[in-house]
Amino acid sequence: IEHNRGHHVRVATPEDPASSKFGESFWAFLPRSVWGSLKSSWELEKARMERLGKSTWSIHNDVLNAWLMSVVLYGVLIAVFGPIVLPFLIIQAIYGFSLLETVNYLEHYGLQRQKKDNGRYERCTPEHSWNSDHIVTNIFLYHLQRHSDHHANPTRRYQTLRSMDGAPNLPSGYASMISLAYFPPVWRKVMDHRVLDHYDGDITRVNIAPSKRKKILAAYGAE
């Protein structure tokens, strides 16, 4: 729900909870993205239910459907294997969504679609997502790393995603970049100058963390 109807619509804008901001650490991004995406998905589905004339708490609510399926799955596993399996289910769930958010963090860090004169954001193009064309991880992740093409052409199948001209490129594959994301000083040393290079040194075009905006603009002489 949120990925297709929220993230793809608002990607690389300050309004998207799953687009990380320049100067924002992964540890600050994680709760913001999880809560923001959950809130957004609920609001999107609530609006859909209202258009259909149905209650938000209807079985037709896809958010509730997903939660219900998880409860049923966990219930079956606990019934079959006993309560001993519960800690493993919790750990894998936490690890799973944390890994997903780490990938979200590195895919759009600092990138921003600019607003047009009419107040609307420009169309999403390959330059609004970080690309990575490293062979091994692309094979294992079905070309997910060619994320620029995925957002510019969201209906294209993953196995046919291409490297796009104009797309900013990560210095390494996802496996390495995920590891870097957990260490904010290292991440910023590797990535911040690449964001600036992508925008020809114009810090005002970057998606900056609001809490650090004034400090960052001053540091780059833009205030």
Side-chain angles (χ1 to χ4, degrees):
I1 297 168
E2 169 59 18
H3 182 79
N4 292 328
R5 289 155 51 195
H7 177 57
H8 269 272
V9 173
R10 299 180 299 234
V11 66
T13 70
E15 289 78 22
D16 180 32
S19 292
S20 58
K21 305 176 190 299
F22 188 90
E24 180 180 39
S25 73
F26 167 71
W27 304 108
F29 169 79
L30 178 61
R32 181 178 71 81
S33 181
V34 171
W35 173 248
S37 297
L38 176 61
K39 182 173 180 288
S40 174
S41 64
W42 182 261
E43 290 173 348
L44 288 168
E45 199 60 4
K46 179 181 178 182
R48 188 177 75 89
M49 290 294 97
E50 290 175 351
R51 289 196 301 271
L52 294 175
K54 299 181 182 296
S55 169
T56 302
W57 297 96
S58 165
I59 192 65
H60 300 286
N61 184 322
D62 287 339
V63 173
L64 296 180
N65 277 333
W67 291 349
L68 180 60
M69 285 188 285
S70 296
V71 169
V72 171
L73 173 62
Y74 280 28
V76 170
L77 291 173
I78 292 171
V80 173
F81 298 103
I84 193 173
V85 78
L86 187 57
F88 296 96
L89 294 176
I90 294 173
I91 291 171
Q92 67 83 28
I94 294 173
Y95 179 76
F97 80 71
S98 298
L99 184 60
L100 170 65
E101 294 300 344
T102 311
V103 173
N104 280 337
Y105 177 77
L106 61 90
E107 287 175 335
H108 304 284
Y109 178 75
L111 303 179
Q112 179 166 261
R113 288 154 58 195
Q114 307 303 310
K115 277 191 175 182
K116 299 187 291 186
D117 292 338
N118 61 6
R120 297 174 65 89
Y121 286 104
E122 63 182 325
R123 184 179 183 274
C124 184
T125 67
E127 71 178 57
H128 299 120
S129 307
W130 288 98
N131 189 66
S132 180
D133 212 20
H134 292 76
I135 295 176
V136 175
T137 39
N138 258 322
I139 291 173
F140 280 108
L141 296 177
Y142 303 99
H143 290 172
L144 173 64
Q145 294 183 137
R146 292 175 176 173
H147 209 62
S148 301
D149 192 14
H150 170 62
H151 273 280
N153 302 284
T155 59
R156 184 179 294 277
R157 294 183 178 183
Y158 273 94
Q159 63 267 32
T160 63
L161 291 176
R162 307 154 297 176
S163 288
M164 305 290 287
D165 291 336
N169 280 278
L170 294 170
S172 187
Y174 273 23
S176 300
M177 299 308 297
I178 286 171
S179 299
L180 290 183
Y182 297 139
F183 303 95
V186 180
W187 171 267
R188 294 199 63 187
K189 184 174 182 179
V190 171
M191 289 301 299
D192 281 10
H193 71 90
R194 287 181 165 83
V195 176
L196 265 295
D197 289 345
H198 179 59
Y199 289 113
D200 298 320
D202 187 355
I203 189 66
T204 63
R205 297 172 62 195
V206 174
N207 187 6
I208 303 173
S211 63
K212 297 183 178 180
R213 183 174 184 82
K214 186 175 181 180
K215 181 179 179 180
I216 289 174
L217 289 177
Y220 288 94
E223 188 177 67

